[in-house]
Amino acid sequence: MQNTDDGASWANVTWGAVNATDNSGSVSDLYVSHDPSSNFPIGSTIVTYSAVDAYNNTGYCSFIVSVIDAESPVVICPADILQNTDDGASCSNVTWGAVNATDNSGS
C-alpha cells in the first residue's frame, strides 16, 4: 500500500527486479503488465508478470498495488466577518461568497 503523491490522484510506485528461472535453464521472454516506477491511480491495480521458456511453457506471478488517498480535502473559507447590527435591530443580515473545496482525488 502506498499513499498518493502530494496533491496528486496517483502514486509513483516502484519495486525491485523480478526474475524468472526455469529447469531448462532458459527463459526466453519476461513480460510485465505495468512497469516499475509507473504512476498508479487511487485504488487497487493488479500487476502481472509472465515468463516463457524455450519450450513455450508459461509461468505467471502477480501482486496488487494499492494506492490510498490519505490527503484531506482543502476547504477555502471567506475571511472572518465583523458587521454591525442593522439600525434599530438586535441582528444583522450577513452575506458571504461561495465556500469552495478541492481534493487531490478530484472528487
Side-chain angles (χ1 to χ4, degrees):
M1 285 196 269
Q2 185 165 329
N3 291 341
T4 56
D5 291 355
D6 287 341
S9 61
W10 47 266
N12 185 273
V13 181
T14 61
W15 56 87
V18 172
N19 299 308
T21 60
D22 186 68
N23 64 332
S24 71
S26 172
V27 175
S28 59
D29 292 305
L30 181 63
Y31 302 100
V32 63
S33 62
H34 300 80
D35 291 324
S37 195
S38 294
N39 293 336
F40 287 83
I42 295 169
S44 297
T45 302
I46 297 174
V47 176
T48 302
Y49 278 85
S50 63
V52 179
D53 68 12
Y55 301 97
N56 230 17
N57 298 309
T58 305
Y60 300 93
C61 79
S62 61
F63 56 92
I64 297 172
V65 172
S66 296
V67 176
I68 299 167
D69 177 12
E71 287 186 50
S72 298
V74 175
V75 180
I76 303 164
C77 291
D80 291 344
I81 300 170
L82 177 62
Q83 184 167 330
N84 294 329
T85 58
D86 292 342
D87 287 339
S90 61
C91 60
S92 179
N93 186 10
V94 179
T95 60
W96 55 89
V99 175
N100 296 305
T102 62
D103 188 62
N104 64 309
S105 71
S107 62

